[in-house]
Amino acid sequence: MSFTRFAARRLAEMAATLLCASFVVYGAMYLAPGSPASFLLSGRSASPEALAAINAQYHLDDPFLVRYLRWLGDLLQGDFGRSITYRTDVSRLLADRLPTTLLLVLMALVVVVAVGLVLGRVAAVRGGATDSAVLVTTTFAVGTPSFVAAVLLQALFAVRLGWFPSGGAGDGLLDRIWHLTLPAVALALYLIGMLARVTRSAMLEALDSEHVTVARSRGVPERQVIRRHVFRNSLGTVLTTGGLIVSTLLVCTILVETAFSIGGIGQLLELSTSTKDFPTVQAISLIIVALFMIVNLVVDLLLPLVDPRITLGSKGSAA
C-alpha cells in the first residue's frame, strides 16, 4: 500500500473515531449524577427564574441531540466552550496547562526510553546474575503504581533531602524542568520496567534466530552482531510497545499531576470531573483520544523504517 493511500485511510479512520468518541464523551457526562446547575448554585436554593436562567445560559433544557450538535459545531470552529468552574474559555485553560503536561510526558518518555532500553539490552546480552538483577528491579518497578512512586519520591527527595521542589510547575524552561524531574521519574518508573522486559524478551528471541548464528559463524564481531542483527531486529517490537507507553503516560499524568499539584491538564481533568465542568472534561477527553490516535499513526509510519519486513497497512504493523 502506498504512503498516500495509507495516510488517507488512517486519517479517515481517525476522523470517524473522533466523531464516535465525541458522542460518547458528550453523552457520558450527562449520564453521571448531578448537574452543572447544582454546582453553580453551590447548594443554595434558587428561585425558578434563577434556575431557568442558568439552564438557558448553558442550554441545559435543550434536547440531548440538539446540545450535542451545537457543541460539535462549535468544536469544529475551534470553540471548546466556556468553563463552568473557572468562568473562562476552555481553550484558554488548555493553552495555559497543556504545555506543562506535554513537557512532563516528554521528560518521562526520555527517562523510560533511556533507562528501559539500557536495562533490557544489558539483561539480554550479559545474562546470568545481571539478568536476574534486572528482572528483580523491573518487577519492583512494574509493581509500583505511579501515585505510590510519586508519594515516595516526594517524601524522600523533596521533603527529607530538599533536592527538588515538592510541587508546582515552576517558571521558565529550566525551572520547569527542575520542578518536573520528580514527577517525570514517578511517571516513568512503572513503564521503565515494562520496556526493559519487552526489550529483553525481543533481544533474547533475536539472539536465538538463524541469521545471528550465521553472522557469528562468519566471524562478525559480537558487538556488531548485537547492534546490527539483534538490537535492530528487536526495534519493531520495542516501537510497538512505545505507542502503548506514550498512551499510558498521558493517562497516568492525572495521578502524578494531582500528587505534585503541577497544574497540567491531568489535574485540570480531575478537578473538572469532580465539579461537573462539562465543557472542560469533554475538551480534555477528546484531546487525549486524539493524542492516542496520533501516537498510533506515528508508530505505524515508523515501523517499516525500523523493520523492512513490515509494510504500511500490513498485519504486522500497529494498525
Side-chain angles (χ1 to χ4, degrees), residues 110-289:
V110 170
V111 174
V112 171
V113 173
V115 180
L117 286 181
V118 169
L119 288 179
R121 179 169 177 165
V122 168
V125 173
R126 295 190 178 181
T130 301
D131 186 24
S132 299
V134 170
L135 287 177
V136 171
T137 303
T138 55
T139 299
F140 170 77
V142 170
T144 306
S146 297
F147 185 81
V148 175
V151 173
L152 294 176
L153 291 173
Q154 194 175 44
L156 177 60
F157 293 102
V159 177
R160 170 166 290 190
L161 299 177
W163 292 354
F164 296 94
S166 59
D171 299 315
L173 180 59
L174 293 180
D175 188 46
R176 183 157 294 187
I177 291 175
W178 183 45
H179 276 75
L180 295 181
T181 298
L182 281 186
V185 174
L187 193 57
L189 186 61
Y190 163 77
L191 295 169
I192 286 173
M194 177 191 296
L195 183 59
R197 285 171 172 263
V198 169
T199 304
R200 172 185 176 274
S201 298
M203 290 189 64
L204 286 176
E205 182 178 353
L207 281 168
D208 292 334
S209 62
E210 183 177 349
H211 70 276
V212 171
T213 303
V214 172
R216 284 172 169 168
S217 66
R218 291 179 177 177
V220 178
E222 185 66 16
R223 180 174 298 181
Q224 188 174 347
V225 170
I226 297 299
R227 185 179 70 253
R228 297 184 58 183
H229 299 282
V230 177
F231 184 70
R232 183 175 179 180
N233 287 340
S234 305
L235 285 180
T237 303
V238 173
L239 184 59
T240 302
T241 306
L244 175 62
I245 286 174
V246 176
S247 302
T248 305
L249 288 174
L250 290 171
V251 173
C252 291
T253 53
I254 300 173
L255 301 175
V256 174
E257 287 184 11
T258 301
F260 285 92
S261 299
I262 293 175
I265 64 170
Q267 186 180 15
L268 178 62
L269 178 60
E270 190 273 332
L271 294 173
S272 300
T273 302
S274 63
T275 57
K276 301 286 289 185
D277 191 347
F278 289 5
T280 305
V281 173
Q282 290 156 354
I284 295 176
S285 300
L286 273 184
I287 287 176
I288 292 176
V289 171

